[in-house]
Amino acid sequence: MLRQSSRLLTRATTMTWRRPFSTDLPAANRVDSTFPEAWKKVIPNTEPPMTPSAFMKPRPVTPLSIPSKLSVNFVLPYSSELSGKEVDMVIIPATTGQMGVLPGHVATIAELKPGVLSVHEGNDVTKYFVSGGFAFVHANSFADIVAVEAVPLDQIDPNLVQKGLTEFTQKLSTASTDEEKAEAQIGVDVHSALNAALTG
């Protein structure tokens, strides 16, 4: 048994195979010809409908060197806060903890929790409070941040935050159904995060 393990171990260390990363793949525009061909066989007189891949832009090529800036798109359901803005760094409140994103960051998808989103551009730091959402960090130094709600931190009234935290804490203690408890807990979590953002 031991003789075979040493042989297998040396074989494993001398193997040169490695699994390619998604960023190693060429940015080719994929055209799916299977569906249109099948469509023309069944209905030859009608043009086939467009598939979702026909509407997608090809993935941009990953640069060989790390760019000096990170391009950020920060959107809400009702507006676009940042569109292609080049910044030095973004710190997002991910569910796994605070996550700093710099140019050349590895491709990542992160769920956002209620907290402070910081956009660093030189010496200027713009802070937003986000209630939740997702961040998509691409290997080509682009980041797309999608939030349900976001408010610049300087526009939040600390007195209203304290009042809301008190109200939701009281609702949580008097809630009788699971739905009421869940709604009250969400309110407590968001107002606690708002309070922490304003005080810290």
Side-chain angles (χ1 to χ4, degrees):
M1 179 74 179
L2 290 175
R3 283 183 238 152
Q4 291 180 359
S5 64
S6 64
R7 185 169 39 98
L8 291 173
L9 189 61
T10 56
R11 187 187 315 159
T13 57
T14 58
M15 291 177 68
T16 58
W17 178 85
R18 74 174 182 93
R19 192 173 122 207
F21 293 108
S22 63
T23 55
D24 294 340
L25 301 175
N29 190 5
R30 298 178 185 164
V31 177
D32 183 15
S33 61
T34 310
F35 177 73
E37 288 171 5
W39 180 276
K40 287 180 182 177
K41 288 179 185 175
V42 177
I43 310 172
N45 297 332
T46 307
E47 286 295 316
M50 303 286 276
T51 60
S53 60
F55 296 100
M56 295 174 61
K57 294 180 184 175
R59 183 172 48 87
V61 179
T62 304
L64 297 176
S65 63
I66 297 175
S68 61
K69 297 285 185 179
L70 174 72
S71 296
V72 177
N73 298 313
F74 178 34
V75 295
L76 307 171
Y78 49 85
S79 70
S80 176
E81 293 292 319
L82 303 173
S83 180
K85 183 162 179 112
E86 291 191 344
V87 300
D88 295 320
M89 176 175 65
V90 174
I91 299 176
I92 60 172
T95 54
T96 56
Q98 295 290 326
M99 185 171 90
V101 180
L102 295 165
H105 195 284
V106 67
T108 307
I109 298 175
E111 183 181 0
L112 304 181
K113 67 177 182 179
V116 177
L117 170 81
S118 303
V119 180
H120 299 256
E121 186 179 10
N123 292 331
D124 298 333
V125 179
T126 307
K127 294 184 177 184
Y128 298 89
F129 182 82
V130 294
S131 62
F134 287 92
F136 304 92
V137 181
H138 307 280
N140 58 352
S141 292
F142 275 80
D144 296 319
I145 302 167
V146 182
V148 178
E149 284 287 335
V151 179
L153 207 56
D154 56 0
Q155 294 182 10
I156 298 174
D157 185 356
N159 297 326
L160 291 176
V161 172
Q162 287 296 330
K163 181 181 174 186
L165 183 58
T166 305
E167 287 176 8
F168 278 107
T169 305
Q170 185 180 6
K171 285 181 182 179
L172 183 60
S173 62
T174 61
S176 58
T177 66
D178 288 341
E179 185 178 348
E180 289 174 353
K181 288 178 185 176
E183 288 176 0
Q185 186 62 53
I186 291 169
V188 168
D189 291 346
V190 171
H191 283 83
S192 297
L194 272 166
N195 194 35
L198 292 171
T199 57

